[in-house]
Amino acid sequence: MQEHRRNGTVDLLRGVGALGVVWFHSSAPGGEYGLAGLTVLFLLFLLYAPDRDQPFGPVLVSRIDRLLRPWIVWSLVLSLAKILQALVGHHPLTEEFALWMLLTGPGLYLWFLPFAFACVAMLLLVERKVDLGTSTAFIIIMALVVVCLPISTWARMGAGGPPMPEWSAAIAPVMIGVGLRSSGESGWRQAGLLAATLASSLLNLMLNGQTPVGVPLGLVATIAALHLRLPDTPTLRWIGWVAMPVYLAHPIFLAMLGQVAPQLDPILLAMLAVVLSAVTGETIRRLGLAARLL
């Protein structure tokens, strides 16, 4: 599904989604609502994945550039930081690195990038075999959406070490993202998707006693953004662009601020991390290094 006319609200939502992730990682009050930001990011990546009629090779290269390149770059940055930390602290490198980092990078939060790439690549392959826009496909997807949250919860409960819990938690956002893509611009289908997601939440509450509010909240925010269109402005485009730098850089600033001011209020901690990450991203852009680092 491609944008015919850029939607400023979607750019704004990308920025809010990144803010939600920072809010959760900073342990600020209402962090469970901040997880809606991760759902939003998954939904937008899948919704705006290239159309099925575009050549697969160039499309895959573009996704590699958008998702895997910054993953590799920031993995190198964090690896260097961990090596320096080990040297300064006089402890072995084995305390800084683990085997699971081969799947996520040296920072667990980076799991999102290779996982999102794998999901988008799989989606593009499936769409070359199956038309997900048909009524039959949509009904099947809705059935899967209804059970996705219980499956996600069961998988997470039985998961081992990282990144299995993170991958398990992503089952529902990914399935709902496929449903949103299958909905196209149909308001009725989007309403059906929302109903299926709420049914999944209720089913998960009945079976597991859990209601991950971030998932339906993220879907509501995304559907609202698709219909409540704001004009395309440079400011909103910048907010959409800076979401990636904020996501990539914020754990570094959270760690630094936690060391310098351990008693800092979590809300202030989150906002400072967002501002510093955004300034870092803008500095990189102005230095002409965005194409290499972000």
Side-chain angles (χ1 to χ4, degrees):
M1 179 178 181
Q2 294 292 308
E3 292 171 292
H4 299 292
R5 180 168 58 88
R6 194 177 182 95
N7 184 349
T9 314
V10 169
D11 280 321
L12 179 62
L13 184 61
R14 286 192 179 99
V16 173
L19 173 61
V21 173
V22 180
W23 198 267
F24 173 76
H25 285 162
S26 66
S27 300
E32 67 275 14
Y33 298 100
L35 273 181
L38 190 64
T39 296
V40 163
L41 295 178
F42 266 117
L43 295 182
L44 293 180
F45 269 122
L46 294 170
L47 179 63
Y48 291 115
D51 291 331
R52 59 185 290 177
D53 57 350
Q54 296 187 31
F56 183 73
V59 163
L60 194 63
V61 170
S62 72
R63 298 304 100 174
I64 290 173
D65 184 65
R66 184 176 182 184
L67 294 170
L68 293 189
R69 178 178 50 78
W71 175 63
I72 292 171
V73 169
W74 284 82
S75 291
L76 293 174
V77 171
L78 289 181
S79 295
L80 179 60
K82 283 180 171 292
I83 291 171
L84 291 175
Q85 185 172 341
L87 292 175
V88 171
H90 302 288
H91 55 259
L93 289 176
T94 52
E95 293 184 11
E96 297 290 342
F97 295 95
L99 284 177
W100 58 260
M101 294 179 182
L102 294 174
L103 300 173
T104 66
L108 181 57
Y109 76 100
L110 290 174
W111 75 270
F112 173 79
L113 295 175
F115 188 87
F117 171 78
C119 290
V120 171
M122 184 64 68
L123 174 66
L124 296 177
L125 287 173
V126 169
E127 286 189 330
R128 276 156 174 74
K129 301 293 184 180
V130 180
D131 184 359
L132 298 181
T134 65
S135 297
T136 301
F138 182 73
I139 291 172
I140 294 173
I141 292 169
M142 288 305 94
L144 293 174
V145 167
V146 170
V147 299
C148 68
L149 279 171
I151 290 174
S152 178
T153 300
W154 292 333
R156 194 166 63 252
M157 290 168 59
M164 295 306 298
E166 289 71 25
W167 289 357
S168 300
I171 292 173
V174 169
M175 195 67 250
I176 295 168
V178 174
L180 187 60
R181 185 174 175 87
S182 176
S183 300
E185 298 181 357
S186 170
W188 286 107
R189 285 195 176 191
Q190 291 172 0
L193 175 62
L194 180 57
T197 302
L198 293 175
S200 186
S201 299
L202 179 60
L203 184 61
N204 194 48
L205 178 62
M206 294 169 58
L207 295 176
N208 301 310
Q210 299 181 23
T211 305
V213 293
V215 174
L217 182 60
L219 176 60
V220 169
T222 303
I223 292 176
L226 295 176
H227 290 276
L228 303 175
R229 302 180 67 98
L230 290 173
D232 176 22
T233 67
T235 298
L236 290 178
R237 283 200 178 209
W238 182 83
I239 290 174
W241 174 84
V242 84
M244 181 64 86
V246 167
Y247 183 88
L248 290 170
H250 79 272
I252 297 175
F253 290 112
L254 286 178
M256 291 173 57
L257 291 168
Q259 291 289 329
V260 173
Q263 302 303 319
L264 197 63
D265 180 79
I267 295 177
L268 183 57
L269 176 66
M271 299 311 298
L272 283 174
V274 169
V275 171
L276 291 171
S277 300
V279 169
T280 299
E282 180 62 14
T283 302
I284 291 172
R285 186 183 71 85
R286 289 181 178 272
L287 290 174
L289 299 175
R292 300 178 182 177
L293 301 179
L294 301 173

